[in-house]
Structures are given as structure tokens and as C-alpha cells.
Amino acid sequence: MSGGTLYDQVWERHRVTTLPNGQDQLCVGLHLVHEVTSPQAFSMLDERDLEVAFPDRTFATTDHIVPTTTDGRDRPLADDQAEEMLSALEENVDESGITFFGLDSDRQGITHVVAPELGLTQPGMTVACGDSHTATHGAFGAIGVGVGTSQIRDIFATGCIAAEKQQVRRIQVEGSLGDGVYAKDVILQIIRQLGVDGGVGHVYEYGGPAIRELDMEGRLAICNMSIEGGARAGYVNPDETTYEYLRGREYVPEGEEFEELKAYWESIKSDEDAEYDDVVTVDVDDLDPLVTWGINPGQVVELSDPVPAPGSFETETEQDAACRALDHMNLEPGDSMLGYDVDVAFLGTCTNGRVSDFRQAAAVLAGHTVADDVRALAVPGSETVRRTCEQEGIDEVFGEAGFEWRRAGCSMCLAMNDDSLVGDEVCASSSNRNFVGRQGSKEGRTVLMSPATVAAAAIEGEVADCRRFLDDSPAHTAAEDVSEVAD
Amino acid sequence: MDDPRITEVAGSGVPIYGDDVDTDRILPARFLKETTFENMADYLFYDARRDEDGFNDHPLNRFPDAEIAVVNENFGCGSSREHAPQAMLRWGIDGVVGESFAEIFADNCKSLGVPTATADAETVEDLQAWIEANPDGEIPIDVEAETVTYGGETVAVDIDDATREALVDGIWDTTALMRANVNRVAETAASLPYVD
Ligand code: SF4
């Protein structure tokens, strides 16, 4: 196989031909489908009298519109349009012979949580989904791309997408993370440094010592937010951490077949002398926990720093954005985010809705209770995550602290179900987007942060430093108890 | 499939007036929750076409059989929803002439085989006035020659090179383009160790 970056190699492996319009035709190795973006594509397929070309490489789940209370999941769903979307998906997957993890499946959950944990996503694959956070799958050394309706139709009809190759930017993450600082803080720091449109025209290759040290769930959180940095995709070269994570997962073969597949996985990674279009270094030594202060995911501060003044930004666009952000968040330059009042704590999503996220938050919560006026929601990214947490007793830590422990779905990430901010509520959120209106209320305010920081905010009723709870002694002991159960 | 080459589109016109007509006007967001594009024609300019007493005198109500829309500046700006051009196409609009188009909107039109041609403000306004006076008049858009003809007069318009080539050569439909290579897809898929 030719050398170059992992991106080059995966591209070459999957390239069928160059189309007359100049784009490359690429095989899609794994197509993930959910209820919101697929129905129009299925009906376009019908209109042309075509069938799904590779049903075996296609997997569907339902996540965006599903209620997260057990009662709310009885059929028909209370929201007519949600019911219609879900029924349409059920019919479509049934007709096409696509495996479906529906509401009655114990594997249901967010596409980007389900595919990795079942071992569907593997190194050296191309993954496509009608969802902008498909970059998540890059954590395995796969190339994940989010696609629109016509492209979903293309994949259904041909198993391929038409695409242009992007440039590759290597993001070298130096240093190592201190206690209470997590993958989420790293990606917020990267987006702060490179900007929300810094990645336009690029895919990001994340590497360096800090990335190597991360487990798979941390890498997933980082790749997930590539899109928030403007990059089309993001990936990490696979290593032993990747292969060991995959061993024994439901859709990963065992024994000799595993070894054969592993040989393929190992053959696809960036050459040591691969040439990048750009290399950027990010240092995370001494990094404090980070939170957003504004209305885009690049408007970020370390907890110890004041909210910046619009004048401190270079471009007029950034300055305007900062003015609008301060106004929306009701902040002044120089204010500290520490102590910013919080009404809602939301833990979940395809960024931070995995088992390790709930473990990290539980370590903070253990022995504490949620502040009186805070509504706190823990929404596992999948039913598998939920079950695993329940086996470890993590749900009890959350329950005792005063969190509602819910069923799997996207939930308050974008409020297409009943979970929504009201009025100008402030939400401490482990999600990925803090755009105005994102969490269901036009006046609502979102502060993005790591799961541990969400837990600290829930306890204090204001933005707080999670390290306090990791250090102080009664909680510390309780936290250790939890992590013992967790291992 | 029909011949995908689109060298000319023609029909009577509808003038849709105003600069910065955004996709929310063209197709209001509340209709995005529908599971198919099938009914989108019914929702085209849904709010703009109605007032308290029912349908108003919006151009689409006055020229319901039009096939060529004539618009002003920055048409189709705002959200990237493919529902907007889908709604126009399903209404019956086969081509659009305007002062300028939002980029994603024009791209979406291209992938549906709908040419978007640009002309200066004067030409567009003349054409809009001519449609008002000649509601049944034919307006052929010659994609290859980049001209629009109305009332015996032919004027030059601009169609972006890549779009013109894609339409004229019939290579705008990526599904069709890629289906032409099914055998090679099977070969590539078979060479991937993770595909059974
Ligand atoms: S959790 Fe949020 S970002 Fe992720 S797929 Fe669901 S809605 Fe999209």
C-alpha cells in the first residue's frame, strides 16, 4: 500500500474511480442511519425504483426524537411527528433488510455511541451518516463523514459517496493532562486555539503524547468535535489501545479472524515521514478545566481566566461574535465564569455520553447532592451504556445526588424531544454546541464543559472547579469506591 | 432513466420579487419534520402566499403554472435545507434566472438538475415586467449558449462553468454517475478486508 497519511491510505483503498465531474467515488464501509435524516432519502430511492445496495453494511438506530423517560417510550409516541418519523424508519429498514436497533432493542442509542461500542466502527474504514458528528468514528483511525440528504440517497443506491479530498492538518498535542482535566478540555482548547472555522477545507489528524495516553472514549470525544472546529473529519492513528478496545466486541470477529483483521488495521496508519499540509502544536501541560462563555464552541476560557473583551480578538467577525455572545450570556468582559449561576445540569450526548464520562462525573458527585434549584439530567448515550453504568452502581450515585437517570437518546443536546431548556435558563452541558436556541429555548444559555465539571456545577448551582471535589476527603474516599467498582 | 443532459429548459415565467429571499421564506422550518419531500410543493412560500383571508396575490398564486422563476439578489440565502429547491422543482419550476444566488442554494439546485442563470438587475427587472404583461409567454433558457429568450429578444446570461458543464454533459446526478460503476464498486468492496 502506498504511504502518506492514514487519510491518504484509507481514501486510496476506498476510491472506486474519479467521476466525470471531477469528484472521487468512494466506497462507504459503514453507513449509519437514524430517523431524522433518512426518510427523505428512502423516498427518493423509491421514486427511482432503486433498492439499498449494501444493507449488510448499513445499521440504523433511533436517537434524536426519542423520549428519555421509560413511560414516554410507549408507542405510539405522544408527539405525532416523532411517532411518524420513527414508524417511517421502522418500515424502511424492514423493507430494506437493514439491522435496526429500535426502541425495543437493548442496543438502541445515539449512532455515534452505538457503532463504536458494538465494534461496528473499525480502523481503516470509511463511515458515513446523515449527521454532522460522524467525525466521531475517526477515533479508531477510520474516516467518518457527515452527509446530506442527496448523499444518503447516493449511499443507499450505490454504497458510495462522491467527494473531494481535503487537506490534512496534523494537530500535535504535547504534554499530559492534570487531575480533573479531560479529553473534552483538550478539544475545547484546540477549537479555542484554531477557531471555529480554522478547519475549513481540512481533516484533522490528532496525535502526540497527550492523545496516545487517552483511552478510546477520550479519543471519541475529541474526534466528535472536529466539526465544531470547522474540519470535515478528524482521526487518531490506531494503536494497541484501539485494538484492545475492539477485542471481544459484538461485531468484531474472534480468534484467527481477529488476528487477520488486526493485521489490516495495523497496516493502515500515517507513515512516520508522511507529509502534512499543515502542522499545529497544542500544549496541554498545566491546562485548567475549560468552559465556554459564549455562543460558539470556540468562545472558551480556562476557569482561572476572566471572560475576554471583544477588543482582544483580531478579526472584526470575532469581535462582533464576542459582543453578541456577551449580550446573550449576560456577561461583561473581565467577569469570571467561576460562580456563573446554573439552572440545569445535562450529562450525555455523542460527545460525552459514554461509560467513562459517567464514571468521571460520579467520582465528583459521590457523597454530594445537587443544589436545590438545579434540574439535573443524566442521559446515557446508549442503552448499553445505561446497563453498564447500572451494573457498576453508577446510576445510584447519580440518583442519590439528585440527578434524574434517564433512557438513551440525544435529549437536551438539541431538544427534539421533551427535554428542553425553558426561558433564559443556564445549562451546564457536556454536549458539543452552545448555539443560540440549540437546547430548545431561544433565550436559553449553554455552557459547554467536561462531565466532571457538569457534576461540580450541579452540586454548587454555579460553574465550579471539579478538582475541589476530587480532592476533598469524604468525597475523595467515596469517589475511589466508585472507581473501584468501575474497574 | 431519462437522458440526464439538460441543454434547455423552457416554460412560462413567474417573477418572485425581493432581495435576500431566504430558505425559511421559500420553505418554512416547521415543514422540515415531514418524512418525505413529496408534499413540499404544497409548502412552497407557504406563509408568503397567504394572509388572513386565504391566498393573497403572491406571484406564485397568480402564475401557478410557471416553469421559470425570475428572482432578484441573493436568492436562497440562510439555512442549507435541500427542501427549498425540492419544493420549487416539485411545484414545477425547471429553471431560475436571477441577479444572484446563495452558494449552497445554487449547489442544491445543480444536484437536482435545475439551472440557475444570473443576469444584471436591469435584465432581470425587464424580464419580470415582461412576464407580468405576458403571463403565458415562453421563456427558454439555453444552458449551453447561456442565453434567455423572451418576446423575440435573446439576452446573454451567466451560468457558472461547472454547473453548465454538469448539466449539458448530464453529469449532475451523482447517484446516476456512480451507478454507472457498479461493477467497480463490487471490486473495490471485495478488496476491503472487513467486507464479507
Ligand atoms: S447527541 Fe447531539 S450532536 Fe450528537 S447526534 Fe445527537 S443531536 Fe447530534
Side-chain angles (χ1 to χ4, degrees):
Chain A
M1 207 62 220
S2 63
T5 62
L6 175 138
Y7 181 69
D8 296 328
Q9 296 170 32
V10 173
W11 192 278
E12 241 356 273
R13 282 267 193 174
H14 293 77
R15 199 176 71 87
V16 175
T17 184
T18 300
L19 295 167
N21 69 5
Q23 292 180 305
D24 278 347
Q25 178 170 354
L26 287 190
C27 263
V28 171
L30 175 64
H31 184 198
L32 302 171
V33 171
H34 64 81
E35 74 281 13
V36 176
T37 54
S38 65
Q40 301 88 349
F42 273 114
S43 67
M44 284 157 86
L45 204 62
D46 258 358
E47 283 175 10
R48 293 192 183 201
D49 214 8
L50 295 173
E51 289 185 351
V52 174
F54 291 89
D56 292 354
R57 305 300 315 157
T58 312
F59 292 83
T61 175
T62 175
D63 47 13
H64 284 70
I65 53 99
V66 299
T68 54
T69 55
T70 300
D71 291 347
R73 290 155 86 98
D74 287 342
R75 302 292 295 277
L77 300 176
D79 174 351
D80 290 344
Q81 278 181 311
E83 174 59 34
E84 198 188 318
M85 280 191 163
L86 185 52
S87 318
L89 181 59
E90 286 166 341
E91 238 168 76
N92 286 325
V93 294
D94 200 39
E95 269 171 34
S96 321
I98 293 171
T99 304
F100 177 48
F101 307 122
L103 272 192
D104 52 359
S105 160
D106 58 3
R107 298 181 191 75
Q108 175 266 335
I110 306 169
T111 52
H112 313 309
V113 175
V114 171
E117 74 191 356
L118 295 183
L120 284 167
T121 307
Q122 296 172 9
M125 262 187 188
T126 47
V127 182
C129 175
D131 188 279
S132 56
H133 288 95
T134 313
T136 312
H137 306 269
F140 289 83
I143 301 301
V145 287
V147 295
T149 312
S150 290
Q151 286 173 299
I152 301 174
R153 179 194 66 195
D154 285 349
I155 304 171
F156 280 151
T158 70
C160 295
I161 48 169
E164 287 107 23
K165 216 170 162 187
Q166 309 282 305
Q167 302 210 307
V168 181
R169 173 179 294 146
R170 163 90 177 180
I171 300 183
Q172 176 75 15
V173 187
E174 297 288 351
S176 67
L177 297 176
D179 284 344
V181 184
Y182 304 92
K184 178 64 158 285
D185 300 292
V186 175
I187 187 62
L188 287 174
Q189 171 69 4
I190 290 171
I191 300 169
R192 163 161 85 158
Q193 197 170 319
L194 300 180
V196 286
D197 52 8
V200 172
H202 289 82
V203 302
Y204 282 172
E205 174 180 300
Y206 304 100
I211 301 291
R212 288 278 142 253
E213 273 177 35
L214 286 175
D215 61 11
M216 284 312 294
E217 303 201 335
R219 295 178 190 182
L220 284 159
I222 290 194
C223 290
N224 175 271
M225 288 187 70
S226 301
I227 192 84
E228 271 66 48
R232 189 66 68 81
Y235 66 88
V236 175
N237 279 295
D239 57 13
E240 284 304 321
T241 305
T242 322
Y243 313 137
E244 285 315 306
Y245 175 91
L246 285 165
R247 194 189 291 279
R249 304 237 160 217
E250 186 171 345
Y251 283 89
V252 177
E254 291 173 22
E256 216 167 290
E257 248 185 282
F258 178 86
E259 298 307 324
E260 273 169 33
L261 205 49
K262 186 177 165 191
Y264 167 66
W265 298 343
E266 283 176 323
S267 74
I268 296 203
K269 53 177 70 169
S270 296
D271 280 355
E272 294 214 346
D273 56 359
E275 276 181 36
Y276 296 92
D277 298 294
D278 190 22
V279 180
V280 174
T281 302
V282 174
D283 193 342
V284 297
D285 261 341
D286 306 321
L287 191 68
D288 277 335
L290 296 157
V291 297
T292 56
W293 56 268
I295 50 175
N296 78 46
Q299 292 171 326
V300 169
V301 279
E302 285 179 72
L303 278 179
S304 45
D305 286 342
V307 171
S312 68
F313 293 96
E314 270 170 37
T315 69
E316 212 172 298
T317 325
E318 284 173 310
Q319 291 172 4
D320 286 352
C323 290
R324 269 180 287 125
L326 290 171
D327 189 47
H328 183 80
M329 300 299 288
N330 199 12
L331 283 164
E332 299 283 340
D335 284 353
S336 171
M337 284 309 287
L338 268 178
Y340 188 72
D341 264 348
V342 163
D343 307 296
V344 178
F346 171 57
L347 189 57
T349 80
C350 61
T351 315
N352 285 130
R354 302 187 175 80
V355 176
S356 60
D357 299 311
F358 290 97
R359 284 182 191 145
Q360 286 155 11
V364 171
L365 279 180
H368 295 278
T369 47
V370 170
D372 282 344
D373 46 358
V374 171
R375 185 153 66 95
L377 221 59
V379 186
S382 72
E383 287 290 290
T384 309
V385 170
R386 181 177 68 85
R387 256 189 336 275
T388 311
C389 287
E390 288 175 3
Q391 280 156 11
E392 294 181 11
I394 289 175
D395 60 320
E396 280 168 30
V397 178
F398 276 90
E400 278 160 23
F403 263 83
E404 289 177 49
W405 183 253
R406 294 286 188 91
R407 305 290 296 273
C410 293
S411 180
M412 211 189 276
C413 181
L414 88 171
M416 269 185 99
N417 67 355
D418 289 341
D419 309 334
S420 169
L421 291 186
V422 181
D424 67 353
E425 279 182 332
V426 175
C427 182
S429 179
S430 71
S431 56
N432 47 40
R433 286 185 172 156
N434 52 344
F435 302 148
V436 172
R438 171 76 177 180
Q439 293 191 288
S441 164
K442 263 187 211 150
E443 297 85 40
R445 291 169 284 172
T446 303
V447 185
L448 302 178
M449 58 186 78
S450 74
T453 308
V454 170
I459 298 166
E460 293 289 355
E462 56 186 41
V463 174
D465 192 330
C466 63
R467 292 172 296 194
R468 274 183 34 210
F469 299 95
L470 297 173
D471 287 338
D472 83 36
S473 51
H476 190 55
T477 333
E480 272 179 351
D481 287 345
V482 170
S483 58
E484 254 166 49
V485 185
D487 294 333
Chain B
M1 258 210 80
D2 305 340
D3 185 348
R5 281 175 295 193
I6 296 173
T7 51
E8 185 186 280
V9 291
S12 62
V14 53
I16 302 176
Y17 301 103
D19 295 339
D20 304 314
V21 171
D22 61 55
T23 50
D24 225 342
R25 287 264 292 289
I26 303 174
L27 202 285
R30 62 181 182 282
F31 301 115
L32 300 184
K33 261 191 166 181
E34 288 221 355
T35 52
T36 73
F37 288 137
E38 231 166 85
N39 303 325
M40 287 301 141
D42 298 346
Y43 310 137
L44 183 61
F45 286 97
Y46 191 93
D47 296 331
R49 283 168 50 216
R50 287 168 173 79
D51 50 33
E52 300 99 69
D53 313 324
F55 287 111
N56 57 21
D57 65 351
H58 187 275
L60 280 171
N61 294 334
R62 294 188 289 123
F63 304 87
D65 302 321
E67 284 159 82
I68 305 294
V70 182
V71 304
N72 300 98
E73 241 179 89
N74 196 28
F75 188 82
C77 58
S79 124
S80 65
R81 66 191 64 151
E82 195 173 308
H83 301 63
Q86 282 278 359
M88 291 176 66
L89 178 64
R90 282 158 198 266
W91 174 281
I93 303 294
D94 290 333
V96 195
V97 183
E99 290 174 53
S100 65
F101 297 92
E103 212 171 312
I104 300 180
F105 178 83
D107 258 3
N108 283 337
C109 285
K110 178 174 89 176
S111 67
L112 298 176
V114 175
T116 46
T118 54
D120 58 46
E122 209 187 318
T123 307
V124 167
E125 281 159 22
D126 277 357
L127 185 48
Q128 289 177 329
W130 185 83
I131 296 170
E132 295 283 359
N134 302 275
D136 299 320
E138 276 280 299
I139 308 170
I141 303 177
D142 187 326
V143 178
E144 196 159 17
E146 297 182 80
T147 60
V148 170
T149 304
Y150 60 101
E153 198 187 338
T154 296
V155 296
V157 293
D158 195 46
I159 299 174
D160 149 86
D161 288 349
T163 306
R164 192 182 65 241
E165 203 182 309
L167 294 172
V168 171
D169 294 347
I171 53 172
W172 48 273
D173 178 341
T174 45
T175 299
L177 283 186
M178 295 199 289
R179 271 177 56 80
N181 305 319
V182 273
N183 294 338
R184 295 173 74 172
V185 175
E187 269 171 44
T188 309
S191 77
L192 298 168
Y194 62 82
V195 177
D196 293 330

